[in-house]
Amino acid sequence: AESEAFVGREPELVKLNELLAQSVRGEGRVVFITGEPGIGKSSLVHEFLRRARKQQLGVVIAHGRSVEQYGTGEAYLPFLEAIGSLLTGPHRERIVALLRTYAPTWCLQFPAAFVSSIAIEKLQQETAGASKERMLREMGDMLTALSSNSPVVLLLEDLHWADPSSIDLLRHLGQRVADQRLLIIGTMRPEELELSTHPLKMFKLDMQSHRASEKIALGSLTQAHLISYLDSHFKPNDFPRELASLIHHKTEGHPLFATSLIQFLAETGDITRVDEHWTLARPLSKMALEAPENVRSMIRKKIQALSEEDRRALQYASVEGEEFLSTVAAHLLGVDDLDLEERLATVERTHGLIEARGEEDLPDGSLATRYRFAHALYQDVLYADMVAKRRVLLHRQAGEKLAAHYGKQSARIAAKLAVHFERGRDFPRAVEYLTHAGDNAARLFANTEASEHYGHALKLVKKNEDAREDERLLALYHKRGKINFARGLFQKSVDDFTEMLELARTLGSTAQESVALNALTMTLFYSHRLDEITARADEILRTAERAGSEHLRIEAMQVLALKHLGDGELDKARPMLDQIIEGARRLKHQSILLSSLAWRGLLHFFQTEYAEAEEMLKEAQALAKELRDSFLLLETYFVLGMVRGNMGRMTEALETFREGLELSDRYEDQFWGPRMPNCVGWIYRELQDFERAIEHDERGLRVGREINVLEAQANSLINLGIDRGRAGLESESTMDAFREVEAIFQKDSWFRWRYSIRLQAGKSEHALAAGDTDAAEEHARRLLEVATQYGARKYKAVAHKLLSEVSDARGDVAAAEAELSSALAELETHPVPVVAWKAHAALGSLLARKGDAQGAAEAFARAVEIVKAIADGVKDEEQRALFMSSNAIRKLLESDAGSASHWR
C-alpha cells in the first residue's frame, strides 16, 4: 500500500524516478537533495526507495550516512556503512565476490566477510603499497562491476557531516557515473556548507557548473498538503478546513514543525477519536495555539509532553549521539537495561521520537538494542538542554561503558570513544583513542584524517602537564611525521621529526633522540637535502651509539650510506651497505635488510656487477612482497629492468618494466614509476626501434614534468637527445635537450654524478655525429674520468669506444685499435652485451680496413654471436625481425658474411 504518511513531494518523486530510469539505461547521475533540518529529505528518499523496490527493477540499494562528530570524523564512514548494508543483505555473496575481485583494499575493512586467515593473509599481500587513490579507484571499479548486472542506487545521507576522504571518493565516483547504471543520491543541509569550508562545498559547485549533477531543493508544504496529511493520518474525520490553515499559519508549512504540532494536538487531546471518528475536542476559536519561535521550540514543547522519566531517559541517551545502545543508556541512568527497553518501546510507539534499529551482539557478549532518534534535531535539543557538568559526567561514563563493551576491540570505535573522553575531560584517554583513530585512518590510507587525529591528540596532550604524557608526544610526532612523509609533505614531516628530536633531548631520552634523528635524516634524503644530512652526519651515529641499540645504529648507518650514495661517495657507501646487510641479517632487522639489499643492488648495477645486482635485487623483491613495502618493491623492478636490459635479456627487461609500471599505477606511486618510461625507451633504442624509443622518452619527460621528478626529466631528455640523433632528427633539438639537462643539474645535486655520466656519453656521441672531434674527445675523456672514479665499467668501455671513433675519424688507426682493445678488456671482466657487440663490430671494421682479414672475421663473428643471443631473447617476432633488419645489424651481418668469405 502507498505510504499513508507521505504527502506533498510528488514532483520531487517524479524527478527521482526519471533519474532512476536514466540510470537503469546506463546514464548514471548524481543528485543532491537539499533543505533545512526537518524539511523532509530523509522522508523523500526513503519513500522513493520504497516505491523503487515495489517496481521490481532489480535495483541494488546501498545506504550509508554521515554523523556529526567532534573534530575529524571516521574516514569513509558513509561508504563503509553502505557496503556493510550490502554485506548483510540478500546480495551478500555477490558483493563479497566483487569486493574480492575489484576492491581488495576494502575487503580488509570487513574482516568478518573474509573469515579465513589464509584469505586475510593473501589480501594483505595483494594490497601491499595500497594508497588512498587506489582505494578510490577500487571502489569505483567495484560499483561499475556491480551496476553492470543490476542498477545501483547509492544513498548517502547528511553529507554536510562527511569526512574529507568520503568527499574525495564521491568526487571520483561523480567523474565515472555518466555511463554507468548508478544513481548516487546525497542529502545535505545547505546552510551547514555555506558557513564552513567543507570540501563538499567546492565539489558541489564544480559538479553543478559542469552540469554533472542534479539538485532537488525541498521547500515548505502547502495548505493543501497539510489537508492531505490530516486526512491520511486521521480518517475518517470531520476537521474544519480552517485547521490546516491555522497549522500552516503557525508553522509556515515546515514539515517537521507542522507534524510535531499535529502530534502535539493529538497528545493533548485537542484532536480526539469518538466512535471510530476523529474530531476536534473543542472549537478552533477556543484553541489558543502558541506559535513557537522556531523548530527547536516546537521540539522542546513536544519533549515537555513526555513524563519526567521518559524525558530523562532520552536526554541521557542523547549523550551517545543520534544513535544509542540500550545497555549504555541504562548504565548512564543506573537502571536495568531490560526495563529501559520496555520504556523505550512505549516512547517509540506513543511519541515517535525514536525508532529501534534492531538487536546487536557486542564484543563482550552483551546483547543490546540499537536505537536512533527519529530526527537529529530531537537528539540535538535534548542534549543542548542538559547542564554542562552533567554532560561531562555522562560522556565519561558512556566512554567507559563502550570501552568495556568492546574491550580489546575498542580501537574499532576509536573516533567515538575519543569524543566521549574529550567531552568528559578525560584527556589522557581521549589522546589514547585519538591515536587509535589516527592509526585506523592511516590503515585506510586516509592520511589527511590521520594527520588531523594525531594533530588534535597533540593539542590535548599539551593541555595535560603530567610528565607521563611526554612519551605520547614523542609517539604522536613520530606518527604524524610518517603520515606527512607518505603525503609527500616533506617539510611538515621534517617539522614533526624536529619537534620529536628536541623533545627527546629535553627528556634525555637518547633512544628516542636516535629514532627522531634517523627519521628526520631519511626524510631529508628523499627530499634531496643532502647538505643537511652532511651537517648531522657525526651526530646521527654518535647518538645511535649512545642509545646502545644495535638496531638504531644500523638504521643510522643506512641513512649515512644512502647519503654517500646520493653524493657519489661510493667508496664509503659500498662497505657501509655490506656491513649493514650483515648486521641486519644477524639482528633479523627485516626492514633495514630490505632497504640495504635494494640500495646495494642498485650500487652493484651502477658498477656493472650485473650478476651480483640481480641476485641481491631478487632477494630484496621477495622480502619487499613479504613485508608489503611497495616503495622498495618498485625500486627492485626499476633496477632489475635495467640490469636485465644491459645483460641483453630484452624481453625480460621490458616485462620487468611493464610489471613495475603496472604496480606503480596500482599504488599511485610518484617516485619510481616516473623513472621507468625512459628506461623502456632505452630498451627500444637498443633494439634499434627509435620510433618507440622516442615515444617512451617523451612520455617519461611528460610524466617527470607533471609530477616534478627532476631525475626522470633529466634521463628522458638525455635519451631524447641520443635517440633523435640516431633517428637522424635535427641536431639543434638534441642540443636543446642537453642544455635543459644541465639546467636541471644546477638545481639539484641528488645522484647528479650518475646522470652526468650519461650526459657526457650523449654529448660525445652527438659531437661525433656532427663531425666535431675535439668536442667529442673532450666529452669522452671527461666520461672516462668520471666512469673510472665511480667504477662504472660499462661507461668506461663506452668512453674507450668513443675515443676510438674520435681517433679513427682523425685517421689514427693504431690509437683507435688501442682504445677498442681497452673497451673490450673492460667488457671481458664485466660483460655488457648491448655494448659489447658494437665494440666487436667496430673492431672488425677497423681490422678489415687494416687488411687483417682473420682478425676482422673473428671480431665480426663475435659481434654476430652476441647479436643473435640478444635476438633469441626477444620473444616478440615482429620486434625481433625489426631488430635483425635494422641498418646497424644488417651492416654487421653483411660485414660478417663478407669477411668470412674472404677468410675462406
Short mmCIF file of all heavy atoms in Angstrom, two decimals, residues 616-671:
data_model
loop_
_atom_site.label_atom_id
_atom_site.label_comp_id
_atom_site.label_asym_id
_atom_site.label_seq_id
_atom_site.Cartn_x
_atom_site.Cartn_y
_atom_site.Cartn_z
N MET A 616 70.96 -10.00 -5.63
CA MET A 616 70.60 -9.21 -4.45
C MET A 616 69.21 -8.60 -4.60
O MET A 616 68.41 -8.57 -3.66
CB MET A 616 71.65 -8.11 -4.24
CG MET A 616 71.62 -7.48 -2.88
SD MET A 616 73.19 -6.65 -2.50
CE MET A 616 74.21 -8.04 -2.02
N LEU A 617 68.90 -8.12 -5.80
CA LEU A 617 67.61 -7.48 -6.03
C LEU A 617 66.47 -8.49 -6.01
O LEU A 617 65.36 -8.17 -5.57
CB LEU A 617 67.63 -6.74 -7.37
CG LEU A 617 68.49 -5.47 -7.37
CD1 LEU A 617 68.82 -5.05 -8.79
CD2 LEU A 617 67.79 -4.34 -6.62
N LYS A 618 66.70 -9.70 -6.45
CA LYS A 618 65.66 -10.73 -6.38
C LYS A 618 65.34 -11.08 -4.93
O LYS A 618 64.18 -11.28 -4.57
CB LYS A 618 66.09 -11.97 -7.17
CG LYS A 618 66.02 -11.78 -8.68
CD LYS A 618 66.71 -12.89 -9.44
CE LYS A 618 65.98 -14.20 -9.33
NZ LYS A 618 66.63 -15.23 -10.19
N GLU A 619 66.37 -11.13 -4.09
CA GLU A 619 66.13 -11.37 -2.66
C GLU A 619 65.35 -10.19 -2.06
O GLU A 619 64.41 -10.39 -1.29
CB GLU A 619 67.46 -11.55 -1.91
CG GLU A 619 67.26 -11.81 -0.42
CD GLU A 619 68.56 -11.91 0.36
OE1 GLU A 619 69.64 -11.87 -0.25
OE2 GLU A 619 68.49 -12.04 1.61
N ALA A 620 65.73 -8.97 -2.44
CA ALA A 620 65.04 -7.78 -1.94
C ALA A 620 63.58 -7.79 -2.40
O ALA A 620 62.67 -7.43 -1.64
CB ALA A 620 65.74 -6.52 -2.41
N GLN A 621 63.35 -8.20 -3.64
CA GLN A 621 61.99 -8.20 -4.18
C GLN A 621 61.09 -9.16 -3.39
O GLN A 621 59.95 -8.83 -3.04
CB GLN A 621 62.02 -8.59 -5.65
CG GLN A 621 60.71 -8.37 -6.37
CD GLN A 621 60.86 -8.51 -7.87
OE1 GLN A 621 60.76 -9.63 -8.39
NE2 GLN A 621 61.09 -7.42 -8.57
N ALA A 622 61.62 -10.36 -3.11
CA ALA A 622 60.84 -11.33 -2.34
C ALA A 622 60.55 -10.80 -0.94
O ALA A 622 59.43 -10.95 -0.42
CB ALA A 622 61.60 -12.65 -2.26
N LEU A 623 61.54 -10.15 -0.34
CA LEU A 623 61.36 -9.61 1.02
C LEU A 623 60.38 -8.44 1.00
O LEU A 623 59.57 -8.28 1.92
CB LEU A 623 62.71 -9.19 1.58
CG LEU A 623 62.77 -8.77 3.06
CD1 LEU A 623 62.18 -9.85 3.96
CD2 LEU A 623 64.20 -8.46 3.46
N ALA A 624 60.43 -7.59 -0.04
CA ALA A 624 59.50 -6.46 -0.14
C ALA A 624 58.06 -6.95 -0.24
O ALA A 624 57.15 -6.36 0.35
CB ALA A 624 59.86 -5.60 -1.35
N LYS A 625 57.85 -8.03 -0.98
CA LYS A 625 56.49 -8.60 -1.07
C LYS A 625 56.04 -9.14 0.28
O LYS A 625 54.88 -8.96 0.66
CB LYS A 625 56.47 -9.71 -2.13
CG LYS A 625 56.62 -9.18 -3.55
CD LYS A 625 56.67 -10.32 -4.56
CE LYS A 625 56.82 -9.78 -5.98
NZ LYS A 625 56.94 -10.87 -6.99
N GLU A 626 56.96 -9.77 0.99
CA GLU A 626 56.63 -10.32 2.30
C GLU A 626 56.28 -9.21 3.29
O GLU A 626 55.34 -9.33 4.08
CB GLU A 626 57.81 -11.13 2.83
CG GLU A 626 57.58 -11.77 4.19
CD GLU A 626 58.81 -12.50 4.70
OE1 GLU A 626 59.61 -12.96 3.85
OE2 GLU A 626 58.99 -12.59 5.92
N LEU A 627 57.04 -8.12 3.24
CA LEU A 627 56.84 -7.00 4.19
C LEU A 627 55.81 -6.00 3.68
O LEU A 627 55.52 -5.02 4.37
CB LEU A 627 58.17 -6.28 4.45
CG LEU A 627 59.28 -7.11 5.11
CD1 LEU A 627 60.52 -6.26 5.29
CD2 LEU A 627 58.81 -7.68 6.44
N ARG A 628 55.29 -6.19 2.47
CA ARG A 628 54.30 -5.30 1.87
C ARG A 628 54.85 -3.88 1.74
O ARG A 628 54.16 -2.90 1.97
CB ARG A 628 52.99 -5.30 2.68
CG ARG A 628 52.38 -6.67 2.84
CD ARG A 628 51.10 -6.66 3.64
NE ARG A 628 50.05 -5.98 2.87
CZ ARG A 628 49.25 -5.05 3.40
NH1 ARG A 628 49.40 -4.66 4.63
NH2 ARG A 628 48.31 -4.49 2.66
N ASP A 629 56.13 -3.79 1.37
CA ASP A 629 56.77 -2.49 1.19
C ASP A 629 56.76 -2.15 -0.29
O ASP A 629 57.63 -2.56 -1.06
CB ASP A 629 58.21 -2.53 1.73
CG ASP A 629 58.87 -1.16 1.76
OD1 ASP A 629 58.61 -0.36 0.84
OD2 ASP A 629 59.64 -0.91 2.69
N SER A 630 55.76 -1.38 -0.72
CA SER A 630 55.60 -1.10 -2.14
C SER A 630 56.71 -0.20 -2.67
O SER A 630 57.11 -0.33 -3.83
CB SER A 630 54.25 -0.44 -2.38
OG SER A 630 54.18 0.80 -1.71
N PHE A 631 57.19 0.71 -1.85
CA PHE A 631 58.20 1.65 -2.30
C PHE A 631 59.45 0.92 -2.76
O PHE A 631 59.95 1.11 -3.87
CB PHE A 631 58.54 2.63 -1.18
CG PHE A 631 59.52 3.70 -1.56
CD1 PHE A 631 59.10 4.85 -2.19
CD2 PHE A 631 60.88 3.55 -1.31
CE1 PHE A 631 60.01 5.84 -2.56
CE2 PHE A 631 61.79 4.51 -1.66
CZ PHE A 631 61.36 5.67 -2.29
N LEU A 632 59.98 0.04 -1.90
CA LEU A 632 61.20 -0.68 -2.25
C LEU A 632 60.92 -1.81 -3.23
O LEU A 632 61.81 -2.19 -4.00
CB LEU A 632 61.87 -1.19 -0.97
CG LEU A 632 62.46 -0.06 -0.11
CD1 LEU A 632 62.93 -0.60 1.25
CD2 LEU A 632 63.61 0.63 -0.81
N LEU A 633 59.71 -2.33 -3.24
CA LEU A 633 59.34 -3.32 -4.26
C LEU A 633 59.48 -2.70 -5.65
O LEU A 633 60.04 -3.30 -6.57
CB LEU A 633 57.91 -3.79 -4.03
CG LEU A 633 57.35 -4.79 -5.06
CD1 LEU A 633 58.16 -6.08 -5.07
CD2 LEU A 633 55.88 -5.07 -4.79
N LEU A 634 59.00 -1.47 -5.81
CA LEU A 634 59.10 -0.80 -7.10
C LEU A 634 60.55 -0.49 -7.45
O LEU A 634 60.92 -0.53 -8.62
CB LEU A 634 58.27 0.48 -7.09
CG LEU A 634 56.76 0.26 -7.15
CD1 LEU A 634 56.02 1.57 -6.93
CD2 LEU A 634 56.34 -0.36 -8.47
N GLU A 635 61.37 -0.19 -6.45
CA GLU A 635 62.79 0.03 -6.75
C GLU A 635 63.41 -1.21 -7.36
O GLU A 635 64.20 -1.13 -8.30
CB GLU A 635 63.56 0.43 -5.49
CG GLU A 635 65.03 0.72 -5.80
CD GLU A 635 65.91 0.92 -4.58
OE1 GLU A 635 65.36 1.03 -3.47
OE2 GLU A 635 67.13 0.95 -4.74
N THR A 636 63.04 -2.38 -6.83
CA THR A 636 63.63 -3.61 -7.37
C THR A 636 63.23 -3.82 -8.82
O THR A 636 64.04 -4.27 -9.64
CB THR A 636 63.23 -4.85 -6.54
OG1 THR A 636 61.81 -5.07 -6.63
CG2 THR A 636 63.63 -4.68 -5.07
N TYR A 637 61.99 -3.51 -9.17
CA TYR A 637 61.57 -3.62 -10.57
C TYR A 637 62.34 -2.65 -11.45
O TYR A 637 62.77 -2.99 -12.56
CB TYR A 637 60.06 -3.37 -10.70
CG TYR A 637 59.22 -4.58 -10.37
CD1 TYR A 637 58.64 -4.73 -9.13
CD2 TYR A 637 59.02 -5.57 -11.33
CE1 TYR A 637 57.87 -5.84 -8.82
CE2 TYR A 637 58.24 -6.69 -11.04
CZ TYR A 637 57.68 -6.81 -9.78
OH TYR A 637 56.92 -7.93 -9.49
N PHE A 638 62.51 -1.43 -10.96
CA PHE A 638 63.22 -0.40 -11.71
C PHE A 638 64.65 -0.83 -12.02
O PHE A 638 65.10 -0.78 -13.18
CB PHE A 638 63.20 0.90 -10.89
CG PHE A 638 64.06 2.01 -11.43
CD1 PHE A 638 63.79 2.59 -12.66
CD2 PHE A 638 65.12 2.49 -10.69
CE1 PHE A 638 64.57 3.62 -13.15
CE2 PHE A 638 65.91 3.53 -11.17
CZ PHE A 638 65.63 4.09 -12.40
N VAL A 639 65.37 -1.29 -11.00
CA VAL A 639 66.78 -1.63 -11.20
C VAL A 639 66.92 -2.96 -11.93
O VAL A 639 67.78 -3.11 -12.81
CB VAL A 639 67.53 -1.64 -9.86
CG1 VAL A 639 69.04 -1.84 -10.10
CG2 VAL A 639 67.29 -0.35 -9.08
N LEU A 640 66.07 -3.95 -11.61
CA LEU A 640 66.16 -5.23 -12.31
C LEU A 640 65.91 -5.06 -13.81
O LEU A 640 66.54 -5.73 -14.63
CB LEU A 640 65.14 -6.22 -11.73
CG LEU A 640 65.59 -6.97 -10.48
CD1 LEU A 640 64.41 -7.71 -9.85
CD2 LEU A 640 66.73 -7.94 -10.78
N GLY A 641 65.00 -4.16 -14.18
CA GLY A 641 64.76 -3.92 -15.60
C GLY A 641 66.02 -3.44 -16.29
O GLY A 641 66.36 -3.89 -17.40
N MET A 642 66.74 -2.52 -15.64
CA MET A 642 67.98 -2.00 -16.25
C MET A 642 69.07 -3.07 -16.27
O MET A 642 69.83 -3.18 -17.24
CB MET A 642 68.44 -0.77 -15.48
CG MET A 642 67.51 0.43 -15.63
SD MET A 642 68.18 1.95 -14.94
CE MET A 642 68.12 1.59 -13.18
N VAL A 643 69.17 -3.87 -15.21
CA VAL A 643 70.16 -4.94 -15.16
C VAL A 643 69.92 -5.92 -16.31
O VAL A 643 70.84 -6.27 -17.06
CB VAL A 643 70.10 -5.67 -13.81
CG1 VAL A 643 70.89 -6.98 -13.85
CG2 VAL A 643 70.64 -4.77 -12.69
N ARG A 644 68.69 -6.37 -16.45
CA ARG A 644 68.39 -7.38 -17.47
C ARG A 644 68.55 -6.82 -18.88
O ARG A 644 68.96 -7.54 -19.80
CB ARG A 644 66.97 -7.90 -17.23
CG ARG A 644 66.90 -8.78 -15.98
CD ARG A 644 65.50 -9.01 -15.45
NE ARG A 644 65.55 -9.92 -14.29
CZ ARG A 644 64.54 -10.10 -13.45
NH1 ARG A 644 63.40 -9.43 -13.60
NH2 ARG A 644 64.66 -10.94 -12.43
N GLY A 645 68.24 -5.55 -19.05
CA GLY A 645 68.45 -4.93 -20.35
C GLY A 645 69.92 -4.89 -20.72
O GLY A 645 70.30 -5.20 -21.85
N ASN A 646 70.76 -4.49 -19.78
CA ASN A 646 72.20 -4.44 -20.05
C ASN A 646 72.79 -5.82 -20.29
O ASN A 646 73.80 -5.96 -20.99
CB ASN A 646 72.92 -3.75 -18.90
CG ASN A 646 72.90 -2.24 -19.02
OD1 ASN A 646 73.54 -1.66 -19.89
ND2 ASN A 646 72.14 -1.59 -18.15
N MET A 647 72.15 -6.85 -19.71
CA MET A 647 72.62 -8.21 -19.92
C MET A 647 72.12 -8.79 -21.24
O MET A 647 72.41 -9.93 -21.57
CB MET A 647 72.18 -9.10 -18.76
CG MET A 647 72.81 -8.70 -17.42
SD MET A 647 72.11 -9.60 -16.01
CE MET A 647 73.05 -11.12 -16.07
N GLY A 648 71.37 -7.98 -22.01
CA GLY A 648 70.90 -8.42 -23.32
C GLY A 648 69.62 -9.22 -23.28
O GLY A 648 69.19 -9.75 -24.32
N ARG A 649 68.95 -9.31 -22.13
CA ARG A 649 67.69 -10.06 -21.99
C ARG A 649 66.54 -9.06 -22.18
O ARG A 649 65.90 -8.64 -21.22
CB ARG A 649 67.65 -10.77 -20.65
CG ARG A 649 68.66 -11.91 -20.57
CD ARG A 649 69.23 -12.16 -19.20
NE ARG A 649 68.25 -12.30 -18.15
CZ ARG A 649 68.56 -12.36 -16.85
NH1 ARG A 649 69.84 -12.30 -16.47
NH2 ARG A 649 67.63 -12.47 -15.94
N MET A 650 66.30 -8.68 -23.43
CA MET A 650 65.47 -7.53 -23.72
C MET A 650 64.00 -7.74 -23.41
O MET A 650 63.35 -6.87 -22.81
CB MET A 650 65.66 -7.10 -25.18
CG MET A 650 67.12 -7.00 -25.62
SD MET A 650 68.17 -6.07 -24.46
CE MET A 650 67.92 -4.42 -25.06
N THR A 651 63.43 -8.85 -23.80
CA THR A 651 62.02 -9.11 -23.50
C THR A 651 61.82 -9.20 -22.00
O THR A 651 60.84 -8.66 -21.46
CB THR A 651 61.55 -10.40 -24.18
OG1 THR A 651 61.54 -10.21 -25.59
CG2 THR A 651 60.14 -10.77 -23.72
N GLU A 652 62.73 -9.87 -21.31
CA GLU A 652 62.62 -9.98 -19.86
C GLU A 652 62.69 -8.60 -19.21
O GLU A 652 61.96 -8.30 -18.26
CB GLU A 652 63.74 -10.88 -19.33
CG GLU A 652 63.54 -11.34 -17.91
CD GLU A 652 64.63 -12.30 -17.46
OE1 GLU A 652 65.42 -12.76 -18.31
OE2 GLU A 652 64.67 -12.58 -16.25
N ALA A 653 63.57 -7.75 -19.76
CA ALA A 653 63.69 -6.38 -19.22
C ALA A 653 62.40 -5.61 -19.44
O ALA A 653 61.90 -4.92 -18.53
CB ALA A 653 64.86 -5.66 -19.89
N LEU A 654 61.84 -5.70 -20.65
CA LEU A 654 60.58 -4.99 -20.94
C LEU A 654 59.46 -5.48 -20.04
O LEU A 654 58.65 -4.69 -19.52
CB LEU A 654 60.19 -5.18 -22.41
CG LEU A 654 60.97 -4.35 -23.43
CD1 LEU A 654 60.59 -4.77 -24.84
CD2 LEU A 654 60.70 -2.85 -23.24
N GLU A 655 59.38 -6.79 -19.84
CA GLU A 655 58.34 -7.34 -18.97
C GLU A 655 58.53 -6.86 -17.53
O GLU A 655 57.55 -6.59 -16.82
CB GLU A 655 58.36 -8.87 -19.02
CG GLU A 655 57.83 -9.42 -20.35
CD GLU A 655 58.03 -10.92 -20.48
OE1 GLU A 655 58.73 -11.51 -19.61
OE2 GLU A 655 57.50 -11.50 -21.45
N THR A 656 59.78 -6.75 -17.10
CA THR A 656 60.05 -6.26 -15.74
C THR A 656 59.58 -4.81 -15.60
O THR A 656 58.92 -4.46 -14.62
CB THR A 656 61.56 -6.35 -15.43
OG1 THR A 656 61.98 -7.72 -15.56
CG2 THR A 656 61.85 -5.87 -14.01
N PHE A 657 59.91 -3.98 -16.58
CA PHE A 657 59.48 -2.58 -16.53
C PHE A 657 57.96 -2.47 -16.61
O PHE A 657 57.35 -1.66 -15.91
CB PHE A 657 60.12 -1.78 -17.67
CG PHE A 657 61.56 -1.42 -17.43
CD1 PHE A 657 62.52 -1.68 -18.39
CD2 PHE A 657 61.95 -0.80 -16.25
CE1 PHE A 657 63.86 -1.35 -18.17
CE2 PHE A 657 63.27 -0.45 -16.02
CZ PHE A 657 64.23 -0.74 -16.99
N ARG A 658 57.35 -3.26 -17.48
CA ARG A 658 55.90 -3.17 -17.63
C ARG A 658 55.19 -3.60 -16.35
O ARG A 658 54.20 -2.98 -15.94
CB ARG A 658 55.45 -4.02 -18.81
CG ARG A 658 55.75 -3.35 -20.16
CD ARG A 658 55.55 -4.26 -21.33
NE ARG A 658 55.87 -3.58 -22.59
CZ ARG A 658 56.18 -4.18 -23.72
NH1 ARG A 658 56.21 -5.51 -23.77
NH2 ARG A 658 56.46 -3.49 -24.81
N GLU A 659 55.69 -4.64 -15.73
CA GLU A 659 55.10 -5.05 -14.45
C GLU A 659 55.31 -3.97 -13.40
O GLU A 659 54.41 -3.67 -12.60
CB GLU A 659 55.70 -6.38 -13.99
CG GLU A 659 54.99 -6.97 -12.78
CD GLU A 659 55.46 -8.37 -12.44
OE1 GLU A 659 56.20 -8.97 -13.25
OE2 GLU A 659 55.10 -8.86 -11.36
N GLY A 660 56.51 -3.38 -13.41
CA GLY A 660 56.78 -2.29 -12.46
C GLY A 660 55.86 -1.11 -12.69
O GLY A 660 55.34 -0.51 -11.74
N LEU A 661 55.63 -0.73 -13.95
CA LEU A 661 54.74 0.38 -14.26
C LEU A 661 53.30 0.07 -13.87
O LEU A 661 52.57 0.94 -13.37
CB LEU A 661 54.81 0.71 -15.75
CG LEU A 661 56.06 1.50 -16.18
CD1 LEU A 661 56.23 1.45 -17.69
CD2 LEU A 661 55.97 2.94 -15.69
N GLU A 662 52.88 -1.18 -14.06
CA GLU A 662 51.53 -1.58 -13.67
C GLU A 662 51.37 -1.46 -12.15
O GLU A 662 50.36 -0.93 -11.65
CB GLU A 662 51.27 -3.01 -14.12
CG GLU A 662 49.88 -3.52 -13.77
CD GLU A 662 49.69 -4.97 -14.17
OE1 GLU A 662 50.26 -5.38 -15.21
OE2 GLU A 662 48.98 -5.70 -13.45
N LEU A 663 52.37 -1.94 -11.42
CA LEU A 663 52.32 -1.82 -9.96
C LEU A 663 52.38 -0.36 -9.53
O LEU A 663 51.70 0.05 -8.58
CB LEU A 663 53.49 -2.60 -9.33
CG LEU A 663 53.39 -4.12 -9.40
CD1 LEU A 663 54.68 -4.75 -8.89
CD2 LEU A 663 52.22 -4.63 -8.59
N SER A 664 53.19 0.43 -10.23
CA SER A 664 53.28 1.85 -9.90
C SER A 664 51.94 2.54 -10.07
O SER A 664 51.53 3.34 -9.22
CB SER A 664 54.33 2.52 -10.80
OG SER A 664 54.37 3.91 -10.56
N ASP A 665 51.22 2.21 -11.14
CA ASP A 665 49.88 2.77 -11.35
C ASP A 665 48.93 2.31 -10.25
O ASP A 665 48.13 3.09 -9.73
CB ASP A 665 49.33 2.35 -12.71
CG ASP A 665 50.02 3.07 -13.86
OD1 ASP A 665 50.67 4.12 -13.60
OD2 ASP A 665 49.94 2.59 -15.00
N ARG A 666 49.02 1.03 -9.90
CA ARG A 666 48.13 0.49 -8.88
C ARG A 666 48.37 1.15 -7.53
O ARG A 666 47.45 1.43 -6.77
CB ARG A 666 48.33 -1.03 -8.76
CG ARG A 666 47.31 -1.69 -7.82
CD ARG A 666 47.68 -3.15 -7.55
NE ARG A 666 47.83 -3.92 -8.78
CZ ARG A 666 48.33 -5.16 -8.80
NH1 ARG A 666 48.73 -5.73 -7.66
NH2 ARG A 666 48.44 -5.81 -9.93
N TYR A 667 49.65 1.41 -7.22
CA TYR A 667 49.99 2.00 -5.94
C TYR A 667 49.97 3.53 -5.95
O TYR A 667 50.20 4.17 -4.93
CB TYR A 667 51.40 1.56 -5.50
CG TYR A 667 51.58 0.07 -5.37
CD1 TYR A 667 52.86 -0.49 -5.44
CD2 TYR A 667 50.51 -0.79 -5.16
CE1 TYR A 667 53.05 -1.86 -5.32
CE2 TYR A 667 50.69 -2.16 -5.04
CZ TYR A 667 51.97 -2.68 -5.13
OH TYR A 667 52.17 -4.02 -5.00
N GLU A 668 49.67 4.12 -7.14
CA GLU A 668 49.73 5.58 -7.29
C GLU A 668 51.09 6.13 -6.84
O GLU A 668 51.19 7.18 -6.22
CB GLU A 668 48.60 6.27 -6.53
CG GLU A 668 47.26 6.22 -7.25
CD GLU A 668 46.56 4.88 -7.11
OE1 GLU A 668 46.80 4.22 -6.08
OE2 GLU A 668 45.80 4.51 -8.01
N ASP A 669 52.13 5.38 -7.16
CA ASP A 669 53.49 5.79 -6.81
C ASP A 669 53.94 6.96 -7.69
O ASP A 669 53.63 7.00 -8.87
CB ASP A 669 54.44 4.61 -7.03
CG ASP A 669 55.88 5.04 -7.22
OD1 ASP A 669 56.52 5.41 -6.22
OD2 ASP A 669 56.34 5.04 -8.38
N GLN A 670 54.64 7.92 -7.09
CA GLN A 670 55.14 9.05 -7.85
C GLN A 670 56.65 9.18 -7.72
O GLN A 670 57.21 10.23 -8.04
CB GLN A 670 54.46 10.35 -7.37
CG GLN A 670 52.98 10.36 -7.67
CD GLN A 670 52.34 11.72 -7.42
OE1 GLN A 670 52.97 12.64 -6.93
NE2 GLN A 670 51.07 11.83 -7.74
N PHE A 671 57.31 8.13 -7.26
CA PHE A 671 58.76 8.19 -7.10
C PHE A 671 59.46 7.34 -8.15
O PHE A 671 60.24 7.84 -8.95
CB PHE A 671 59.17 7.75 -5.69
CG PHE A 671 60.60 8.06 -5.36
CD1 PHE A 671 60.93 9.26 -4.76
CD2 PHE A 671 61.63 7.17 -5.65
CE1 PHE A 671 62.25 9.57 -4.45
CE2 PHE A 671 62.95 7.46 -5.36
CZ PHE A 671 63.25 8.67 -4.75
#
